[in-house]
Amino acid sequence: MTVQTPADIQQQLGQAFPALYHQLHRDRMLDWGTFCHGWITSVYPTLRARPPLLLYAREFELIAPADIVGHAEQFTDADSHVRLREGLQLLPFGSTGAGDYYCFWHDPGAPGEPRVVLLWHDDDRVDLLASNLQDFIFRMMADAVADLDGSLLEEGDIADNLQRWLDSHRAYLHATQVQALEALYADPAIQAGGVGEDAATALIDRVIGFEGIDTRFSYAPA
C-alpha cells in the first residue's frame, strides 16, 4: 500500500509531524505536481496562481508525502551513506536537489514542536535552521530574494510571483513575519537581482533568531 498521508507516515515510522504540516496537507499545499521533462512549461504554470509550499525557495525541493518513507528508510539502512547514529531520528520532508535533506528533528533539549534541520549527504553534518516549521517557512521566503540568479521567480513577473507566494503562505506565518516579508518584497533591489545575502541573513536573525541557530552536530554512527 502506498503511504500518502502524514498520519500514515507517522504510523509507519513512529515519528510525528508538526501540526502545521498536517494543516498544509489538508490545504493541499504539499503538491508540486509530477517532476518530469518540461515541468517548467507543463506543470509550473498550473501552480503559479496559488504556489504550494516553498515553491520559490532556493535549493529546496518538496518531497511528496507518498515518497517520504522511502527517503527516511535510508537513515536506518546499514549500507546507506546517510545512516544515522543510534538514538537520532530525523523525518525528511524536503531536499536541496543535491542529496541533502531538510528534516524535522525532535530536540531532546527543546520539547514541543520539532525543529527543522538540514542533513548534508556528503559531510557528517546537520545544521539547525529553525525552531519550528513556521519559522523555517519564513526563513526560506526571506532567503529566496537574496539572489535571484537562476530563480524560478524569474519565470513570469517577479513582483506578481512574490505577491501570489506570500498570499498563499500568509495563513501559515505570524503577522509580524508577514509584515517583514511585505517590506522585504517591496525592496527595488529584488528587480535588480536580489537584496543580497547579508540583508536576508540580518532579517532572518532579527525575526526568527534563537540560541543555537545555524549551529551543527554530527549524525553518523561512531
Side-chain angles (χ1 to χ4, degrees):
M1 180 180 70
T2 301
V3 177
Q4 293 186 339
T5 71
D8 292 332
I9 298 166
Q10 289 180 155
Q11 184 174 12
Q12 183 159 344
L13 297 179
Q15 298 187 63
F17 288 103
L20 180 54
Y21 187 85
H22 289 273
Q23 181 182 349
L24 288 162
H25 182 262
R26 290 193 300 270
D27 294 346
R28 300 183 179 181
M29 288 289 287
L30 302 179
D31 185 2
W32 280 20
T34 302
F35 287 105
C36 60
H37 178 70
W39 179 91
I40 193 72
T41 56
S42 62
V43 179
Y44 169 64
T46 69
L47 304 176
R48 279 194 67 228
R50 182 176 178 264
L53 182 65
L54 297 179
L55 180 67
Y56 294 112
R58 293 197 298 170
E59 297 183 8
F60 180 86
E61 294 180 3
L62 186 66
I63 298 176
D67 298 327
I68 285 178
V69 169
H71 287 281
E73 287 175 343
Q74 296 183 73
F75 296 163
T76 56
D77 185 341
D79 296 323
S80 172
H81 63 291
V82 289
R83 181 187 175 194
L84 304 181
R85 55 180 163 81
E86 186 175 353
L88 176 62
Q89 288 188 314
L90 299 178
L91 183 55
F93 68 94
S95 74
T96 61
D100 307 326
Y101 284 105
Y102 295 98
C103 304
F104 296 118
W105 172 51
H106 288 273
D107 181 357
E113 290 190 56
R115 298 184 183 273
V116 177
V117 299
L118 176 65
L119 178 147
W120 293 56
H121 79 285
D122 56 358
D123 194 2
D124 180 14
R125 168 180 170 182
V126 176
D127 294 349
L128 180 54
L129 301 181
S131 59
N132 54 57
L133 177 55
Q134 186 173 60
D135 287 358
F136 175 71
I137 292 173
F138 173 84
R139 176 175 183 147
M140 298 302 278
M141 293 184 74
D143 174 78
V145 294
D147 184 351
L148 268 64
D149 184 33
S151 173
L152 188 62
L153 283 166
E154 295 185 307
E155 293 292 331
D157 183 77
I158 295 172
D160 184 55
N161 286 338
L162 286 172
Q163 185 60 58
R164 291 174 186 269
W165 194 28
L166 184 55
D167 286 345
S168 72
H169 286 55
R170 188 180 301 269
Y172 314 115
L173 297 165
H174 286 302
T176 54
Q177 294 172 338
V178 172
Q179 291 169 2
L181 288 173
E182 287 176 336
L184 177 65
Y185 290 173
D187 191 328
I190 292 174
Q191 300 295 330
V195 300
E197 304 290 347
D198 290 345
T201 298
L203 180 64
I204 290 166
D205 288 343
R206 178 170 62 82
V207 177
I208 66 160
F210 63 98
E211 185 176 356
I213 190 171
D214 292 327
T215 57
R216 63 185 65 169
F217 59 86
S218 299
Y219 67 85

